Amino acid sequence: MNHHTGASLQNRIAILGSGRGSNARAILEAVACGQLSAEVALIISDRHDAGILEVAAAFGVPSSFVDPGDGKRGRISDEALQQITDQLLSDGVDWVVLAGFMKIVRNPLLRAFDGRILNLHPSLLPKYPGLNTVKRALEAGDAEAGCTIHLVDSGVDTGKILHQARVPIVSGDTVESVTAKIHAAEHLAYPMVIGRVIQQG
Ligand code: GAR
């Protein structure tokens, strides 16, 4: 399919991630099979050994590693953020998709893509922003967990919620088993919601 003749015009997305890249893979598979009308222009990681960079290579998507600096966990340097912002702008990216990106996004990236940055979070926000979401849900005795897809604003996991998917927590569940259920839900939901958001422009 020729993406430039499709109904959606602003469909160039970049994916930012720090981990395995299973959600990036799900997005790329949805694009490959025509379920998601988008073009993944670029994949950026703040970890040089992240699986998401291998996913990019497997799908022939340009990728780059951006050194986040040696700040605290969750913190990325001003230089790195500027570098990422410049890359996205010069690549003509319309939407920034965070898929397991473990750094907190702020300006200038936020300003450059205001309202056009999506995040995927492994909890039913506003419950459990931040880290160790599944462990916290299990410790609280919750009967369900899930994922949230939201727009990114200047807070941590606080932006406008676009979609949530729920998974049950049953007796015998562990962090690993619940995480696997959340991943499965994410892989279905994220490509769908990205498609919806792109279509709405
Ligand atoms: C996903 O489960 C996503 O919800 C989570 O990281 C995982 C990435 O997996 N995101 C966060 O925790 C963001 N704070 P993947 O690399 O296999 O797509």
Side-chain angles (χ1 to χ4, degrees), residues 50-80:
I52 194 170
L53 294 174
E54 286 162 36
V55 172
F59 282 81
V61 173
S63 69
S64 66
F65 157 67
V66 173
D67 186 337
D70 56 3
K72 283 188 298 194
R73 195 166 66 161
R75 159 111 194 150
I76 181 167
S77 72
D78 289 339
E79 295 73 20

Side-chain angles (χ1 to χ4, degrees), residues 19-24 99-102 119-122 183 186:
R20 284 190 314 156
S22 69
N23 282 285
F101 189 61
M102 301 309 283
N119 185 41
L120 172 66
H121 183 76
H183 272 135
E186 290 179 338

Side-chain angles (χ1 to χ4, degrees), residues 96-113:
V96 180
V97 170
L98 307 183
F101 189 61
M102 301 309 283
K103 296 287 190 277
I104 294 162
V105 166
R106 58 179 199 282
N107 284 333
L109 183 55
L110 211 47
R111 197 182 307 119
F113 291 92

Side-chain angles (χ1 to χ4, degrees), residues 12 14 16 41-44 64 66 76-94 96 105-113 117:
R12 272 175 82 75
L16 273 54
L42 179 65
I43 290 182
I44 298 177
S64 66
V66 173
I76 181 167
S77 72
D78 289 339
E79 295 73 20
L81 263 179
Q82 187 66 57
Q83 198 183 327
I84 291 173
T85 306
D86 291 346
Q87 275 188 38
L88 299 176
L89 288 173
S90 72
D91 228 318
V93 163
D94 303 303
V96 180
V105 166
R106 58 179 199 282
N107 284 333
L109 183 55
L110 211 47
R111 197 182 307 119
F113 291 92
I117 309 177

